[in-house]
């Protein structure tokens, strides 16, 4: 009984610090399969990986032949999705550039935090975009039009937009609102009516 207790304690400690020992090789296999499909012409080296107990994710640093950091892959708990941090960075830069160059909105502060992830079974891409805005003249109607323009822009640029979330604060009235759009529900109702006040 004492031996079994010690073995269980050891297994629990390893699982807590490094993730499920049985799942780490599976996560690394998924990461390698994704790299072979996404970067077929690059000679990439994958790290052994680490586990984040707080989020339940597996992290793999990816390096090129020159030992420069190319990107990081995050395999989410359950091994169902893969986040490619390089593609996430590219997405956020594209969104910022679009807003700066094409938006008619007047705002004092902008934040963009999108995520590009792929399903681990068929590597289908999904893009989630979150935008935070604050300004004195941000009305529901303006944000609704802005949301629609982002959706149209994403289609024109070949993105696979899964969800768009816009959190905005009207500084004149000190009120905050949220607009959440999913591509398959865009035409179901007036976008202005989809904006909800937040606390």
């Amino acid at each position: 009984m004492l031996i079994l207790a010690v073995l269980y304690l050891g297994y629990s400690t390893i699982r807590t610090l490094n993730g499920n020992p049985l799942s780490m090789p599976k996560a690394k296999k998924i990461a390698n399969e994704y790299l072979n499909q996404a970067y077929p012409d690059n000679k990439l080296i994958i790290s052994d990986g680490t586990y984040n107990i707080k989020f339940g994710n597996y992290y793999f640093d990816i390096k090129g032949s020159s030992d420069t950091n190319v990107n990081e892959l995050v395999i989410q708990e359950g091994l169902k999705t893969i986040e490619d941090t390089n593609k996430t960075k590219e997405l956020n830069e594209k969104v910022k550039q679009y807003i700066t160059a094409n938006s008619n909105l007047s705002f004092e502060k902008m934040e963009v935090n999108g995520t590009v992830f792929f399903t681990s079974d068929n590597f289908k891409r999904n893009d989630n975009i979150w935008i935070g805005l604050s300004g004195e003249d941000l009305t529901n109607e303006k944000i609704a039009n802005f949301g629609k323009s982002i959706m149209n822009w994403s289609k024109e640029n070949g993105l696979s937009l899964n969800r768009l979330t816009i959190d905005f604060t009207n500084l004149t009235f000190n009120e905050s609102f949220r607009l959440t759009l999913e591509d398959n529900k865009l035409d179901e109702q007036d976008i202005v009516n989809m904006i909800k006040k937040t606390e």
Side-chain angles (χ1 to χ4, degrees):
M1 290 294 288
L2 182 60
I3 293 173
L4 288 175
V6 170
L7 289 174
Y8 178 77
L9 181 61
Y11 173 82
S12 297
T13 302
I14 291 172
R15 182 173 179 151
T16 299
L17 296 177
N18 300 307
N20 186 337
L22 299 175
S23 295
M24 182 61 80
K26 292 178 184 177
K28 190 170 184 179
K29 181 175 183 286
I30 290 170
N32 272 312
E33 289 172 353
Y34 168 76
L35 290 176
N36 289 335
Q37 178 166 317
Y39 304 95
D41 299 326
N42 296 12
K43 294 181 179 178
L44 301 177
I45 303 166
I46 188 169
S47 70
D48 288 335
T50 58
Y51 179 75
N52 184 309
I53 187 172
K54 183 177 180 181
F55 299 105
N57 296 334
Y58 297 88
Y59 295 83
F60 297 95
D61 286 326
I62 312 302
K63 299 182 182 298
S65 55
S66 62
D67 207 39
T68 56
N69 199 30
V70 175
N71 62 332
E72 181 183 56
L73 295 182
V74 182
I75 312 296
Q76 295 183 0
E77 189 174 22
L79 310 179
K80 293 181 179 178
T81 60
I82 307 157
E83 180 190 355
D84 186 326
T85 56
N86 259 9
K87 296 191 185 298
T88 287
K89 183 178 178 182
E90 290 171 5
L91 173 67
N92 289 329
E93 288 303 316
K94 285 181 181 178
V95 173
K96 288 176 186 176
Q97 289 172 8
Y98 173 78
I99 294 172
T100 303
N102 300 288
S103 171
N104 295 324
L105 292 177
S106 175
F107 51 84
E108 296 181 17
K109 186 177 178 182
M110 174 187 70
E111 185 179 355
V112 176
N113 188 12
T115 306
V116 177
F117 65 93
F118 298 81
T119 55
S120 60
D121 56 348
N122 58 10
F123 302 126
K124 179 183 175 184
R125 176 171 172 153
N126 291 280
D127 300 324
N128 288 338
I129 298 174
W130 177 87
I131 301 170
L133 298 170
S134 60
E136 295 182 352
D137 192 32
L138 296 179
T139 64
N140 288 8
E141 290 76 12
K142 288 181 179 180
I143 293 296
N145 289 329
F146 172 66
K148 190 178 287 186
S149 72
I150 290 282
M151 297 292 282
N152 292 333
W153 168 80
S154 70
K155 290 178 182 177
E156 292 167 3
N157 286 270
L159 299 180
S160 300
L161 190 57
N162 180 56
R163 179 177 294 128
L164 168 66
T165 303
I166 303 172
D167 286 329
F168 64 101
T169 301
N170 185 313
L171 296 176
T172 302
F173 302 104
N174 197 27
E175 293 180 326
S176 297
F177 301 87
R178 169 171 286 182
L179 171 63
T180 302
L181 295 174
E182 295 180 10
D183 192 31
N184 59 350
K185 296 181 180 177
L186 184 60
D187 298 323
E188 287 187 6
Q189 58 181 321
D190 183 3
I191 294 180
V192 174
N193 293 331
M194 298 172 71
I195 296 175
K196 307 297 181 187
K197 188 173 181 180
T198 59
E199 296 301 324

